[in-house]
Amino acid sequence: MSTLGNAVAAGASALNAQRARIEVAVSNLANAESTRGPDGQPYRRREVVLAAAPVNAFEAALGEAGTAGVEVVQVLEDQEPFRVRYEPSHPDAGPDGYVSVPNVDVAEEMVDMLGAARAYQANLMAINVIRDTIQRSLELGR
């Protein structure tokens, strides 16, 4: 595969990783007030773990420095304790009137989502630049 092809593959892997980050952030925002899940506990914030991944194993086998993409290794649940809020009329309130609510900080999720969206746009722009470069190179050959 050409070097530009590897760069496109690395950009495509980044698009997939950023999409996963956006999906997790949206899930966290959607469940920011979910006090009861399938296990009877409040929703736990999730976080995406990314890692560098070689794009072309053939180049690595030859000992050449290949382009590194990125991949989602794991989606972890944040083990921070749940927040508590005094709301005695809530159906999930304990005998003391406090309700355990998810450990989701809405402002933090918005920042994460915007960062992922910007990274997605940057990688999309890089792929478009590479595509344009390839097209112009082909036009020169005519």
Side-chain angles (χ1 to χ4, degrees):
M1 183 183 284
S2 71
T3 303
L4 290 178
N6 288 344
V8 170
S13 71
L15 291 178
N16 284 331
Q18 299 309 324
R19 179 191 47 79
R21 283 183 61 206
I22 292 171
E23 288 176 357
V24 167
V26 167
S27 175
N28 289 338
L29 286 171
N31 288 292
E33 294 293 324
S34 298
T35 57
R36 190 182 324 160
D39 59 352
Q41 295 292 313
Y43 176 83
R44 283 206 175 270
R45 179 181 181 273
R46 292 184 172 89
E47 193 169 355
V48 175
V49 178
L50 302 176
V55 171
N56 190 346
F58 182 71
E59 288 179 350
L62 294 176
E64 297 178 9
T67 307
V70 64
E71 66 183 355
V72 175
V73 175
Q74 194 174 15
V75 177
L76 295 174
E77 285 190 349
D78 189 347
Q79 296 303 315
E80 290 288 320
F82 295 118
R83 295 178 295 139
V84 291
R85 180 173 55 210
Y86 185 69
E87 195 173 333
S89 62
H90 194 283
D92 292 329
D96 58 353
Y98 285 95
V99 179
S100 292
V101 295
N103 54 356
V104 174
D105 181 357
V106 173
E108 181 181 341
E109 296 304 323
M110 289 298 296
V111 169
D112 285 351
M113 190 167 58
L114 288 174
R118 293 287 185 208
Y120 189 93
Q121 291 171 342
N123 282 290
L124 192 57
M125 180 66 76
I127 290 172
N128 285 335
V129 167
I130 293 168
R131 185 197 64 200
D132 291 346
T133 301
I134 292 171
Q135 284 180 336
R136 288 186 183 140
S137 297
L138 292 174
E139 289 173 5
L140 286 175
R142 290 184 185 174

